Amino acid sequence: MTLLKSSFKPGDWVVYRKTKFTPHPGPRAQDVHPTQGGDDYVYSVDKFWTVAEILEDGQLVLQTRRGKTHTISPEDPLLRKAGFLERLIYRERFPRLDTMTAAS
């Protein structure tokens, strides 16, 4: 059995496209569509996170700006590394791991 080597490493900036359901989409909402009942909307929002850790089973522990963590598979199709322009334009939205550990 061969384990696939993850292309992610701790400290990498990643973008996770999260699907949400609410009656009032925010300004960063993308692909906004009404739900079948028409009372809510379904849409996507890009979340800018940092890889904090890679677990033994290959799962990624991702850190948010506010210190929350999410464990996600590196093969999740909603997860990708941040591109050059995203790293430049949205650099303030990515959490810095050194400041998170110092604040804890």
Side-chain angles (χ1 to χ4, degrees):
M1 177 170 128
T2 306
L3 293 176
L4 296 175
K5 176 113 171 108
S6 174
S7 63
F8 296 99
K9 61 186 184 300
D12 281 349
W13 287 354
V14 295
V15 178
Y16 188 78
R17 177 150 294 179
K18 192 166 192 164
T19 302
K20 296 192 164 206
F21 300 87
T22 64
H24 305 288
R28 295 188 301 134
Q30 302 173 4
D31 303 323
V32 180
H33 301 287
T35 57
Q36 192 161 2
D39 292 335
D40 289 327
Y41 293 92
V42 61
Y43 58 95
S44 309
V45 176
D46 285 342
K47 299 292 186 174
F48 302 93
W49 297 339
T50 302
V51 177
E53 182 183 358
I54 300 174
L55 302 176
E56 287 185 21
D57 64 356
Q59 297 283 310
L60 304 175
V61 177
L62 304 177
Q63 181 94 34
T64 71
R65 269 189 308 186
R66 295 190 176 190
K68 293 181 184 176
T69 58
H70 300 277
T71 304
I72 301 203
S73 168
E75 286 86 27
D76 190 322
L78 302 176
L79 178 70
R80 61 183 170 77
K81 281 189 175 181
F84 174 75
L85 286 178
E86 288 169 321
R87 291 192 317 255
L88 181 66
I89 295 169
Y90 301 117
R91 65 184 167 270
E92 297 302 319
R93 291 189 185 175
F94 290 99
R96 306 240 188 283
L97 293 180
D98 54 342
T99 58
M100 288 296 195
T101 53
S104 306

